[in-house]
Amino acid sequence: MSLSAHLVAQDSSWRQRSELAALADLPPQLDSELERLDKEFWVSAEKLKEVVNRFREELDEGLQENGRNIPMNITWVHSLPSGNERGTFLTLDLGGTNLRVCKVTLHGQEPPNPTNSPSPGQKFSLEQEQYKLPDHIKSSTAEELWTHIADKLSTFLSSKGLDKEYTKEKPMPLGFTFSYPATQDAINHAVLQTWTKGFDIKGVEGHDVAAQLREKMAARNLPLELICVINDTVGAMIASAYNDPETIIGAIFGTGCNAAYMSSLSSIAKLSPSDPRLKSSSSSGGKTTGKMAINCEYGAFDNAHAVLPRTAYDAQIDAASPRPGEQSFEKLSAGLYLGEIFRLVLLDLADRGLVFKDRDVGRLRQPYTIDTSFLSQIEDDESAGFAQSRQMCRETLGFDLADGEVELTRRLAELIAVRGARLCACGVAAICTKEGITRGHVAADGSVANKHPKFKRRWARALGEILDWDRREGEEDPIVITSAEDGSGVGCAIIAAMEMERRGRRA
Ligand code: G16
Ligand code: BGC
């Protein structure tokens, strides 16, 4: 039997589908709860296909006109890199959890100098600092955000001696990876549409983040010139394409979820061929490559709640979020939310007297106390009697779990992560079917893709079910996930290099 036929046969119940070894029989009440949860969280192949059909429509609508649900943002990145891009750049990355500043040197095709390239053959060298974004910043003000960022830029510049090397007259080129939905009139301009990933910083939505950053840098006399603002998905795609010509899509499966791909200009009805912005952003003489990178921002898919299999727990997360009604797809599938869904289910079972009786569930009541990495660790636990999972629960929740409860939490972690991975395949499947892409590499980054032990396999399996692949053991799939090589650092630097080249300048 082929792998896909085998999988269809698995479309029955969690008992057949689960990859986890059994620890204990569940008490009958918990067993029937798990049956219910399985029905709510399992997304069949048929449902995945229905989701993808609607997804395709929403992607198309976003290309037709502004203001549609999936924004399909124009990025002014006209081509994949040639692989020859060179120069030294500073990059700044504002993702969901970290702020990163990197000095990136692109070597192009030139053999790297062994003294500054730690791995021979690598086409870039990189020095970076990562700063955890303080929680209070996420709900602060534009002033606090940009002050914090300018502080880190300034610290980095002086720690690397770059404040001596560059001046206001001869500034260091800067690329900014801003991983939030933004409309761009040019590559060095980006108006934030709405905060996502739980951010709620006042005074930024509706404003050009490039201008806000530039103003703060000028006030600090930082010797930097902002060349481009990009999305992390575009960075992932471009960084990967620098080395890998099979790259078709850049995708992030992390705190948030999203993807970018190269669209032909003729498919972007909302961008007229005579748009003056096209002329000024394309290469000399106003010639275009006929292509444009599109940052889909598909975390917003199905905000109308027409097709996604939402549970009461998903509705609770949405209602308590800073932007209810937004990022519906992301709230079911991305890293910020998986741990929270898990917490809400456990709390519901506790409140109904089905688990954790006679124990203080105070910690479980606190929103976002359970990180998504908790789910990966539970699924990864092969210790005797699942001692590691027990220990983690004790540390996080503050009490011990009985065998049946440990068993339930393991099954639940699996159900939620499997649903997330299967839904994640829908976004990429929608782009591929819409664009007629049948082969290639999806350059992926983000904590879920990189840290969840089973994500990539589950994602691939679901993609195969949607696209009706006849998957066979040992054969490579036509579309595979590859690891994006540091999109927000290297990818952003490459885009800055391409932009400077277009302007006839060298970094
Ligand atoms: C990497 C990329 C970021 C991206 C992030 C997404 O960062 O460099 O541009 O936003 O992945 O993943 P997550 O949302 O899980 O942080 P990092 O710092 O996670 O390697
Ligand atoms: C943001 C996207 C980003 C994605 C992954 C989403 O919440 O809106 O811009 O690409 O997260 O970081």
Side-chain angles (χ1 to χ4, degrees), residues 179-181 196-197 231-233 252 256-258 297 327 330:
S179 307
Y180 300 89
T196 59
K197 297 183 273 202
N231 187 259
D232 50 1
T233 53
I252 302 288
C257 71
N258 187 18
E297 288 297 341
Q327 299 297 99
E330 182 160 279

Side-chain angles (χ1 to χ4, degrees), residues 86-102:
R86 300 182 56 191
T88 298
F89 305 85
L90 197 73
T91 62
L92 167 69
D93 174 19
L94 180 66
T97 29
N98 296 310
L99 185 70
R100 265 192 330 142
V101 184
C102 309

Side-chain angles (χ1 to χ4, degrees), residues 168-240:
K168 284 204 89 174
E169 292 66 43
K170 190 186 146 291
M172 185 174 195
L174 170 71
F176 179 21
T177 305
F178 181 68
S179 307
Y180 300 89
T183 41
Q184 301 192 268
D185 280 340
I187 201 163
N188 58 0
H189 163 265
V191 175
L192 176 63
Q193 293 164 313
T194 180
W195 282 117
T196 59
K197 297 183 273 202
F199 275 50
D200 189 16
I201 304 176
K202 320 283 174 300
V204 189
E205 283 164 321
H207 296 273
D208 176 12
V209 296
Q212 294 193 335
L213 174 61
R214 244 184 242 116
E215 195 185 313
K216 242 332 156 224
M217 293 193 305
R220 293 289 185 97
N221 277 321
L222 299 182
L224 295 169
E225 180 189 357
L226 183 59
I227 304 290
C228 59
V229 182
I230 67 156
N231 187 259
D232 50 1
T233 53
V234 180
M237 175 172 72
I238 297 293
S240 171

Side-chain angles (χ1 to χ4, degrees), residues 19 32 44 47 69 137 167 199 202 205 298 319 339-340 357-358 386 395 418 446 455 459 491:
E19 296 175 276
S32 60
S44 68
K47 182 69 180 172
N69 185 48
I137 293 270
T167 59
F199 275 50
K202 320 283 174 300
E205 283 164 321
Y298 67 38
E340 182 63 356
K357 275 181 219 142
D358 309 322
F386 305 103
E395 283 165 9
V418 166
F455 174 83
W459 179 93

Side-chain angles (χ1 to χ4, degrees), residues 293-310:
I294 294 291
N295 163 23
C296 301
E297 288 297 341
Y298 67 38
F301 169 61
D302 199 35
N303 281 344
H305 301 158
V307 65
L308 284 174
R310 288 170 91 237

Side-chain angles (χ1 to χ4, degrees), residues 462-485:
L463 193 65
E465 288 175 38
I466 299 166
L467 301 178
D468 290 321
W469 292 337
D470 192 11
R471 300 181 78 220
R472 287 176 192 278
E473 212 87 62
E475 278 178 21
E476 191 178 89
D477 292 332
I479 296 172
V480 293
I481 280 203
T482 52
S483 289
E485 281 197 67

